[in-house]
Amino acid sequence: MGSPVSTTIEQRRAPWPVAFYRSAVGKKWVMAITGIAIILFVIFHMVGNWKIFLPDVDGIPDIDIYAEALRELLVPFLPEHVALWILRTGLIVAFLFHIHAAYSLTLMNHRARPEDYQGPRTYIAANYASRTMRWSGVIFLAFLLFHLADLTWGIQPMAPETWARGEVYANFVATFSRAPVVFFYIVAMVALGIHLYHGAWSMFQSLGINHPRFNHLRRWFAIALAALVTVGNAIMPLAVLFGFVE
Amino acid sequence: MNITLQIWRQDGPDRPGGFKVYEVDGISAEMSFLEMLDALNERLANQGDEPVAFDHDCREGICGACGVMIDGQAHGPQLGTATCQLHMRKFENGATITVEPWRAAGFPLIKDLVVDRSAFDRIIEAGGYITVDTGSAPDANLTPVPKPVADTAFDAAACIGCGACVAACPNGAANLFTAAKISHLNLLPQGQAERWTRTENMVEVMEEYFGSCTNHGECEKACPKSISIDFIAMMNSDYLRAKLKNRRLVAQ
Ligand code: HEM
Ligand code: FES
C-alpha cells in the first residue's frame, strides 16, 4: 500500500483552523484566498501607479500626492500610517501563507511520486503555466524583493543614485531609465501573467466554485486578468524608457 | 502489424527494474492491447522466458483491474478508454510503444506492470459507503431524486477505481478518485446522513497516501470513464463545509 506521504488523521487533530490548514485541500483553500488578496493588491497598486500618466497638480506630481494620501488613509480616525500598515500586514501574511502552502504542497507532491516515469510523458491537459507555477512564483518573488529595495527602501545599488523618500515620481523615472531594470520588470510581469493564467482559473476549483452554466467563463476570466496585469503594469516602465514619461 | 515494445520489467518491489525491448510481429489490428500482451507472453513462455506480469480481469472496461502507462499516457492514447478496450488499430504499423507501470508512492510496484492499489481500499473504508439495514429491497422510486442529480451521481459512480487519475497526475494526487467516490453518495438523499464525516475522513485518508491537486486536469483526460474534475470542486467545497457544519443539524 505504500508508506504515507503526509501526516495521519491522528497527527492532524487540532483546533479546526489549524487542522484545516494541515490538510492539503485546506492549504489549497488558503492559497486561493491569499491569491485573491494578492490579486486585489496587484490591481489596486497598478491603478494607483497609472497616476504617473496624469499631469502635475500645482507643480507637484499627481502620484506624489496620491502616495501621501495613502499614508494619511483614514486619518483622523486613525493616526497616520496605521491604516496603511494594517493593509500591509494583511498582504505580508497573505504572501507568507501563499508561499508556505506552495512550499509544503510541493514537498508532499514529490513524496507522492518518489520514482518518476522513466519513459517520456505525454500531457494532454496540463499546460506550461500549470506546470511552472512554482517557478513563475519564485521569479515574481525575486522581483518583488528587488522592487521593494529599489523603490520602497531605496537600497543601493537596486535603487537609482538619486533616490529620495517621498519623491515617488522622480524615483520612478530614475529607476526605469535603466534598461536592465525595465527588462527585469517585464520578465516578472510575464511570469506573473503566466502564474495568473493558471492560478486565476485554478482558484475557482480550489474554492469549489463550479457551476455548469458559468464554468466556461472561468478560463476567460483568467486570461483577461493575466493580460490586464501583465500589460497594465508593463506599459509604465516602457513609457519611461521610451521617454513618454519624464 | 509489427511493433516494438519497450516494457518495464522488474522482478519485485526491491529488485532493480528497467526497460526491455521486444519485437512482436504478426499482431492483428483487431487485437486489444491486452491481447497483444497475451500474444507476447505466449511467445515468451514458449521460449522459456518469464512472461510480463500485468493486471486484468473483465477485459470489457468495467472492473478497473487493468491499466498501464502507454507512451506516457495512462491507458494509452485513446481518451475515455481503459487499456483492455484500447485496440492495436490505434497504433501505426512498425510503431515503438513504451509500457510502464503506474508510478506513485501510494501504488507500490509488485512486479513488472502490476502495482498494489489497496490505498484506494483504505480511502473507501474511510467512508465510501452508506450505513443502512439491507433487509429486503425497498420499492423502486420510493425516494424522489431529481433527474440532474441522478445523472450526476451516476457519472461519478462510473469510477472503476483503476488508478489512472493518480498515474496521470503530475502530483500523484488521488483527488479525482476520491471526489468521485465521495460525490456519488454526497449527491443523493441516501448519502446525506454521513455526508460530512465521509468527506472529512475520505479526504484525510487520501492525503496520507497521495499528493495534492493543483488542478492540472490531467486526471480527467486519463480517466477511462471521463469523470469530470467538477467533482473535485464539489469535494473541496464539502470539505470546508464539513469543518464548519453544526453536526447537530445534519439531518435537516
Ligand atoms: C511570491 C511567490 C509565489 C509563489 C512561490 C507562488 C506559488 C504558487 C503555487 C505553487 C501555486 C499552486 C498552483 C496550483 O495549485 O494551481 C499557486 C497558486 C496561485 N497563486 Fe501563487 N505564488 C506566488 C505569488 C503569487 C502572486 C503574486 C499571486 C497574485 C497576484 C498569486 C496568485 C495565485 C493564485 C490565484 C493561485 C491559485 C490558487 C489555487 O489554485 O487555489 N501567486 N501559487
Ligand atoms: S480489465 Fe476490467 S477494466 Fe480493463
Side-chain angles (χ1 to χ4, degrees):
Chain A
M1 188 164 41
S3 44
V5 301
S6 75
T7 49
T8 59
I9 297 181
E10 282 67 32
Q11 290 166 324
R12 233 178 272 160
R13 288 250 150 76
W16 88 261
V18 180
F20 185 66
Y21 187 70
R22 281 184 187 163
S23 84
V25 172
K27 281 198 184 71
K28 285 308 305 271
W29 269 88
V30 171
M31 285 195 93
I33 290 167
T34 54
I36 289 170
I38 304 170
I39 288 169
L40 290 177
F41 165 77
V42 165
I43 290 174
F44 193 83
H45 182 80
M46 177 180 76
V47 174
N49 286 349
W50 283 344
K51 297 203 161 47
I52 58 150
F53 295 117
L54 296 180
D56 290 359
V57 181
D58 299 334
I60 305 172
D62 197 284
I63 194 164
D64 289 13
I65 300 171
Y66 163 68
E68 188 55 29
L70 278 182
R71 281 174 222 122
E72 285 166 13
L73 200 67
L74 289 185
V75 172
F77 295 100
L78 290 173
E80 204 172 312
H81 291 165
V82 171
L84 187 60
W85 268 107
I86 292 173
L87 289 172
R88 280 176 174 168
T89 309
L91 189 63
I92 293 166
V93 169
F95 261 108
L96 292 179
F97 270 106
H98 195 85
I99 295 167
H100 178 261
Y103 171 77
S104 96
L105 293 180
T106 300
L107 289 188
M108 176 175 173
N109 294 342
H110 286 168
R111 285 196 300 274
R113 179 164 295 131
E115 196 187 354
D116 208 351
Y117 288 101
Q118 304 295 302
R121 282 288 320 258
T122 312
Y123 291 111
I124 328 170
N127 55 39
Y128 178 77
S130 74
R131 289 194 285 127
T132 55
M133 287 301 271
R134 43 191 93 104
W135 301 117
S136 54
V138 165
I139 291 172
F140 184 80
L141 182 63
F143 163 76
L144 181 67
L145 296 175
F146 173 85
H147 189 64
L148 287 171
D150 174 4
L151 286 167
T152 309
W153 301 321
I155 300 173
Q156 309 284 350
M158 278 71 85
E161 273 160 27
T162 54
W163 186 88
R165 186 171 298 280
E167 303 282 329
V168 182
Y169 189 86
N171 294 340
F172 198 96
V173 172
T175 200
F176 293 127
S177 300
R178 302 175 297 172
V181 175
V182 176
F183 179 73
F184 188 24
Y185 191 99
I186 308 256
V187 168
M189 287 311 124
V190 170
L192 183 60
I194 293 172
H195 198 81
L196 288 178
Y197 173 80
H198 181 67
W201 174 84
S202 167
M203 65 186 191
F204 290 105
Q205 281 290 110
S206 304
L207 299 174
I209 300 173
N210 187 296
H211 187 302
R213 197 174 296 160
F214 306 115
N215 277 355
H216 66 285
L217 297 176
R218 301 184 301 182
R219 178 45 79 202
W220 289 113
F221 171 80
I223 292 173
L225 185 72
L228 173 76
V229 166
T230 306
V231 177
N233 277 313
I235 53 171
M236 291 184 277
L238 288 175
V240 174
L241 191 65
F242 292 109
F244 295 106
V245 169
E246 53 193 8
Chain B
M1 286 175 81
N2 302 325
I3 51 164
T4 307
L5 287 169
Q6 203 187 356
I7 300 187
W8 188 264
R9 302 300 310 262
Q10 186 170 342
D11 285 340
D14 303 319
R15 307 296 297 279
F19 283 115
K20 270 217 175 127
V21 177
Y22 301 95
E23 309 282 342
V24 199
D25 38 23
I27 293 291
S28 150
E30 310 310 317
M31 279 181 173
S32 76
F33 199 81
L34 298 187
E35 283 165 339
M36 181 277 294
L37 288 180
D38 290 339
L40 167 69
N41 277 346
E42 212 165 308
R43 295 174 204 184
L44 289 178
N46 286 343
Q47 294 165 14
D49 289 335
E50 181 79 8
V52 179
F54 63 90
D55 248 334
H56 62 102
D57 190 20
C58 71
R59 298 206 173 197
E60 53 183 7
I62 55 168
C63 74
C66 66
V68 286
M69 218 60 184
I70 302 169
D71 284 341
Q73 271 178 274
H75 290 302
Q78 187 168 308
L79 299 193
T81 311
T83 304
C84 59
Q85 295 287 288
L86 175 68
H87 289 85
M88 295 313 293
R89 53 180 169 265
K90 191 74 190 165
F91 299 90
E92 303 274 334
N93 189 16
T96 300
I97 307 172
T98 306
V99 189
E100 254 189 279
W102 294 164
R103 292 198 191 274
F107 289 164
L109 187 132
I110 296 173
K111 189 177 186 205
D112 295 338
L113 304 174
V114 181
V115 297
D116 176 359
R117 285 169 287 190
S118 48
F120 271 9
D121 298 337
R122 301 291 91 74
I123 297 175
I124 296 296
E125 284 161 14
Y129 49 79
I130 58 168
T131 311
V132 287
D133 265 336
T134 42
S136 54
D139 283 341
N141 301 327
L142 204 59
T143 312
V145 180
K147 174 86 166 111
V149 174
D151 286 349
T152 312
F154 195 80
D155 288 345
C159 172
I160 53 177
C162 61
C165 44
V166 173
C169 177
N171 308 323
N175 291 50
L176 189 61
F177 168 78
T178 312
K181 294 301 178 192
I182 287 177
S183 298
H184 85 268
L185 298 172
N186 279 9
L187 284 163
L188 294 171
Q190 294 87 342
Q192 295 311 302
E194 287 153 313
R195 176 170 175 182
W196 311 107
T197 45
R198 165 183 310 117
T199 308
E200 229 178 342
N201 294 340
M202 290 179 73
V203 166
E204 287 169 11
V205 171
M206 162 186 89
E207 291 180 357
E208 284 181 32
Y209 297 102
F210 297 100
S212 145
C213 175
T214 57
N215 303 315
H216 287 292
E218 208 52 43
C219 51
E220 174 183 274
K221 294 286 180 252
C223 178
K225 301 295 147 187
S226 301
I227 293 174
S228 165
I229 56 172
D230 289 359
F231 293 112
I232 297 180
M234 290 183 194
M235 174 174 81
N236 292 342
S237 164
D238 270 11
Y239 184 69
L240 177 67
R241 288 159 77 194
K243 294 285 181 196
L244 297 176
K245 186 81 185 167
N246 180 346
R247 295 284 165 96
R248 289 173 298 187
L249 303 181
V250 157
Q252 288 189 347

